[in-house]
Each structure stands twice: as C-alpha cells, then as structure tokens.
Amino acid sequence: MPSATAELTSLPPELESARAVALSTQLPYAGGVTPPVAWRLLEAGEVQLVDVRTFEERKFVGHVPGSAHVAWATGTSLTRNPRFVRELEAKVGSKDATVLLLCRSGKRSAQAAEAAAKAGFTRVFNVLEGFEGEIDAQQHRGGADGWRFHSLPWVQD
C-alpha cells in the first residue's frame, strides 16, 4: 500500500502525465487514467482503488479484487452520500493518499473526484471508462470500453 504521506512529486509517471493534462484542461481534480493503467498501478501497489458505485452494483455486476468501497450515491434513486468525503478519508487513511476512483462509466467517479479535491484530497484521480463502459447504440455497456472490456481482473459475488 502506498504511503499516505508520500511527497506530491513522487507520483508514478502515468499519474504525472494525467496531472499535466488535468492542469492544462483545468480539471478540478488530479486527472484521469484508463482502466489498464489503473490496474498496473494497483498491482504495483502505487495506488488505492476505491469503487464509488452502489453496494448493489458491486454485488450484482462485479468489482475489482482488492478495491475498497465508498458509495458516492446510494439506492436506485442514486441519492448522494453526504458522508462520502469523510468515509473516503477513513478508508484511504489521508487526504494525501494516491487514490483512483471507479464507477460504472467514469461519470460519477469524476463527480466524486471533484468533491474529494474540493475537500482537500490532493492526489485523487478518475478511472476513465469506468467498470462497465459507456452505453452504446443498442443500449448495452462493455462493448467498446470499460474495465471489463479490457479483460482486467474482476470478481462477482
């Protein structure tokens, strides 16, 4: 597990690149990485991966082994979790931890990354494409992008 107090200059090269893009495009959080990059960093122990989907999504759709869980929203109405930032900090140990957030398509995790950054998280990144990917013309997910599309490890309860 990465050090919670690691120097901000000691990010892996992929995250430094993501941060540079984020700065140039004025993203409100540290940046975004693709699922394959996220998996390499997680496997190397350089980041913590936090799944921000609902409990039900994780249970019935699947999740990444070794990922933590802090719901950005709950229930079928996706009611925003008012304790998200506190729960995230408790789960990762510090607002300076290097954290990747994952949701279904990369949209909720971007919102969660923005909220975390506004709350003082300095190294929070979004996993682009999410777990299932974007919805296609046939109203399906996983055919063009996403964690599972890239054949990365995942399990289902």
Side-chain angles (χ1 to χ4, degrees), residues 32-102:
V33 297
T34 63
V37 169
W39 175 246
R40 281 194 304 276
L41 294 170
L42 180 63
E43 251 194 332
E46 297 188 84
V47 299
Q48 295 181 63
L49 180 64
V50 178
D51 191 328
V52 301
R53 295 175 299 154
T54 66
F55 169 81
E56 293 82 7
E57 285 175 291
R58 270 180 64 94
K59 177 150 182 69
F60 297 115
V61 178
H63 61 274
V64 178
S67 64
H69 180 239
V70 178
W72 168 247
T74 60
T76 56
S77 63
L78 293 178
T79 303
R80 167 90 159 64
N81 175 2
R83 297 172 309 280
F84 175 77
V85 170
R86 282 194 317 267
E87 290 175 10
L88 180 62
E89 186 173 9
K91 193 70 73 163
V92 301
S94 166
K95 288 185 177 180
D96 292 323
T98 305
V99 180
L100 306 181
L101 301 181
L102 175 73

Side-chain angles (χ1 to χ4, degrees), residues 24 51 56 58 66 89 94 108 114 129-130 137 140-141 154:
S24 71
D51 191 328
E56 293 82 7
R58 270 180 64 94
E89 186 173 9
S94 166
R108 279 179 285 165
E114 182 174 352
E129 304 174 19
H140 298 145
R141 294 185 187 275
W154 63 281

Side-chain angles (χ1 to χ4, degrees), residues 129-145:
E129 304 174 19
F131 187 75
E132 295 181 78
E134 195 57 59
I135 197 162
D136 65 19
Q138 290 77 39
Q139 304 298 301
H140 298 145
R141 294 185 187 275
D145 61 7

